[in-house]
């Protein structure tokens, strides 16, 4: 993917004209990938990334001078200097503040964001039609120190078996790092609080089955060398790099959808800016059917009620969130003076 020599290009994308300036600016120094490479990468995976982003409010992780330079998260589309066709959706953060975020209606929105120095796309698990009710339940399997991608894959296999018992299809992808993400498409009937409760219930059941491998412990000092199921990725305002998004690392890796059967065989470092377009063109998108059969999460909410009755209620929210009803203390266990000691 060679960068263009022109100072500014105008490229037709999805019926819109998108400018590409400074195409030769190096974005991934260790790989030599330029801004033009990033821009054209996103065009080449358009089918896949639009399946992940379409009509979703999206936070942009921007690196105007490359991944080794200054980074910032853009949660608000500027009021001026934006093409008139750029769509937005208003979302509310836990603080109560609101923002009009980019809401990709077509691939031109992705291209425009890439022109603005976006490397990573972080969509909300909602659609513009109802920004308060998720239609995507995201399970983030995060290896802790002493574990690696292989452990996350093993945990994902246990999760797959559990989902099979529930009669729901999970859609796995690499995180672009050492982790594994599994998405469930769900009916947009429940609030963020309810979907987070359902995620905690699913995580706890997985932990019961493989306690030596999986943990739901929010506090790092309690996790040990296990795979953490980061249930707070389903809290309002939290986002995950989407399928086919680049990751801001030296290798220019991609968060890549995979089939369950190949998950045990892949190396996440093999999925990068230079390799994923050909993979998608040759194999198609493993997430092609993700929207076909949304699921009713009622069984997970029943598990949540069962757990609460057994004394396992809510778990802590991230520190920047307001105190939530029923939430336990946000105190690191080793610093909790009121905690019973053995």
């Amino acid at each position: 993917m060679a960068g263009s020599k022109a100072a500014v290009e105008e490229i037709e994308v999805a019926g819109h004209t998108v400018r590409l300036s400074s195409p030769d600016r190096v974005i991934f120094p260790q790989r030599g990938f330029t801004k033009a490479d990033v821009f054209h990468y996103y065009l080449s995976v358009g089918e896949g990334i639009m399946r992940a982003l379409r009509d979703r409010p999206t936070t942009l992780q921007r690196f105007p001078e490359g991944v080794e330079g200054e980074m910032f998260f853009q949660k608000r589309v500027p009021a001026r200097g934006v093409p008139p066709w750029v769509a937005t959706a208003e979302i509310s953060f836990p603080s109560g503040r609101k923002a009009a975020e980019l809401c990709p209606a077509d691939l031109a929105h992705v291209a425009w964001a890439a022109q603005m120095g976006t490397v990573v796309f972080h969509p909300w698990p909602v659609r513009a039609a109802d920004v308060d009710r998720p239609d995507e339940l995201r399970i983030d399997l995060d290896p802790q120190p002493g574990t690696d991608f292989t452990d996350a894959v093993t945990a994902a296999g246990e999760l797959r078996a559990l989902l099979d018992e529930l009669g729901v299809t999970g859609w796995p992808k690499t995180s672009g790092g050492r982790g594994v993400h599994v998405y469930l498409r769900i009916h947009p009937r429940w609030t963020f609080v309810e979907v987070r409760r359902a995620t905690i219930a699913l995580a706890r059941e997985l932990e019961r089955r493989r306690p030596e491998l999986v943990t739901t412990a929010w506090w790092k000092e309690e996790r040990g060398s296990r795979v953490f199921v980061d249930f707070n990725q389903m809290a309002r305002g939290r986002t995950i790099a989407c399928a086919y998004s680049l990751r801001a690392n030296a290798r220019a890796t991609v968060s890549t959808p995979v089939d369950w059967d190949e998950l045990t065989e892949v190396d996440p470092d093999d999925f990068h800016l230079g390799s994923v377009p050909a993979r998608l063109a040759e194999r198609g998108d493993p997430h092609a059917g993700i929207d076909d059969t949304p699921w009713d999460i009622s069984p997970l909410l029943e598990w949540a009620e069962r757990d609460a009755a057994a004394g396992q209620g809510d778990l802590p929210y991230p520190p920047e969130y307001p105190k939530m009803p029923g939430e336990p203390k946000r105190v690191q266990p080793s610093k909790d003076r009121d905690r019973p000691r053995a």
Side-chain angles (χ1 to χ4, degrees), residues 2-9 20-25 34 36:
S4 169
K5 298 298 183 182
V8 178
E9 296 180 55
L20 172 59
S21 62
S22 304
D24 294 322
R25 178 177 294 151
T34 65

Side-chain angles (χ1 to χ4, degrees), residues 80-158:
R80 297 180 180 179
V82 175
W85 46 263
V86 168
T88 63
E90 186 176 82
I91 45 85
S92 298
F93 297 104
S95 65
R97 292 179 296 125
K98 298 181 182 295
E101 286 205 335
L102 182 71
C103 191
D106 55 39
L107 189 57
H109 290 70
V110 178
W112 173 80
Q115 152 62 16
M116 299 292 288
T118 300
V119 172
V120 189
F121 290 83
H122 297 267
W124 284 49
V126 300
R127 307 275 187 176
D130 191 341
V131 296
D132 294 316
R133 296 181 185 275
D135 73 328
E136 193 165 73
L137 189 156
R138 300 167 175 177
I139 303 148
D140 180 6
L141 301 172
D142 183 11
Q144 300 302 291
T147 62
D148 57 19
F149 179 72
T150 300
D151 298 295
V153 167
T154 301
E158 297 291 337

